[in-house]
């Protein structure tokens, strides 16, 4: 995408859950773009303190947003679902993007942070958080209680900060 929210957006996506392959393809695409820019005497704007300088302040830093559409109707029926996601370092968006509603319990879950962490760290937070949400959903499907697990949800994300 050119000149949408940011000047350029590189998207790597596929059906399935091979986040590693998606990330490697993204990194290769980004390296290719950077190589062309450098050959023309240009580079992405970067600041040692803020990271990459983008037009959308919420994307300062790496600018990396790893996301997945996940159907989790039971856990997301909780009134505190967005807060649970935040404890895991995730942001929950509806099926039509920011500030939209979920459709049938399907959510776009992504890393909440962009600033102060490496791309690899952000992908790790994302994969751990989404995996945890899915595990809770499966337990709820079996009629199990997940309240105690949710109570300590932020421990992993805080320990990796």
């Amino acid at each position: 995408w050119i000149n949408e929210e940011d000047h350029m957006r590189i998207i790597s996506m596929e059906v399935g859950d091979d986040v590693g392959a998606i990330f490697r393809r993204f990194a290769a695409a980004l390296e290719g773009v950077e190589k062309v820019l450098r050959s023309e005497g240009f580079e992405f704007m970067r600041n040692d303190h803020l990271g990459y300088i983008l037009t959308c302040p919420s994307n300062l830093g790496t600018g990396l947003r790893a996301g997945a559409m996940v159907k989790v109707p039971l856990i997301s029926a909780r009134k505190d679902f967005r807060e649970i996601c935040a404890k895991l370092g995730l942001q929950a968006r509806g099926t039509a993007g920011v500030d939209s509603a979920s459709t049938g319990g399907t959510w776009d879950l992504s890393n909440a942070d962009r600033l102060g962490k490496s791309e690899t760290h952000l992908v790790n937070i994302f994969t751990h958080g989404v995996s945890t949400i899915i595990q809770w959903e499966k337990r709820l499907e079996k009629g199990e209680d997940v309240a105690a697990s949710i109570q300590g949800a932020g421990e992993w994300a805080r320990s990796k900060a």
Side-chain angles (χ1 to χ4, degrees):
W1 297 23
I2 303 291
N3 292 330
E4 196 259 338
E5 186 176 70
D6 287 312
H7 294 297
M8 179 177 63
R9 183 175 294 184
I10 298 174
I11 299 173
S12 176
M13 58 193 294
E14 69 181 48
V15 174
D17 61 359
D18 191 349
V19 176
I22 295 166
F23 184 70
R24 286 188 296 277
R25 190 172 51 248
F26 166 79
L30 186 58
E31 286 175 16
V33 171
E34 287 179 323
K35 183 178 178 181
V36 170
L37 284 173
R38 276 191 228 106
S39 74
E40 297 290 328
F42 300 102
E43 60 186 287
F44 290 120
M45 287 179 46
R46 190 170 192 303
N47 175 281
D48 288 340
H49 178 69
L50 297 174
Y52 290 100
I53 307 299
L54 305 161
T55 57
C56 181
S58 68
N59 289 333
L60 277 175
T62 65
L64 178 76
R65 178 182 173 276
M69 298 300 280
V70 182
K71 187 169 185 173
V72 287
L74 300 176
I75 191 75
S76 68
R78 293 177 54 112
K79 291 181 182 174
D80 62 345
F81 177 65
R82 289 181 190 260
E83 289 78 21
I84 291 168
C85 289
K87 287 171 88 174
L88 293 169
L90 300 175
Q91 175 185 38
R93 299 177 180 196
T95 51
V98 178
D99 298 326
S100 69
S102 166
T103 305
T106 300
W107 292 86
D108 178 358
L109 300 180
S110 62
N111 54 296
D113 293 336
R114 314 281 191 273
L115 183 61
K117 296 175 179 76
S118 72
E119 290 88 345
T120 301
H121 189 150
L122 293 174
V123 171
N124 287 339
I125 289 170
F126 163 74
T127 55
H128 179 269
V130 171
S131 173
T132 301
I133 295 283
I134 291 169
Q135 288 171 19
W136 289 337
E137 182 71 15
K138 288 179 179 179
R139 288 179 55 194
L140 289 170
E141 287 171 352
K142 295 177 185 175
E144 297 177 14
D145 183 25
V146 296
S149 296
I150 290 172
Q151 188 70 27
E155 293 175 18
W156 187 89
R158 282 191 298 276
S159 73
K160 303 298 179 191

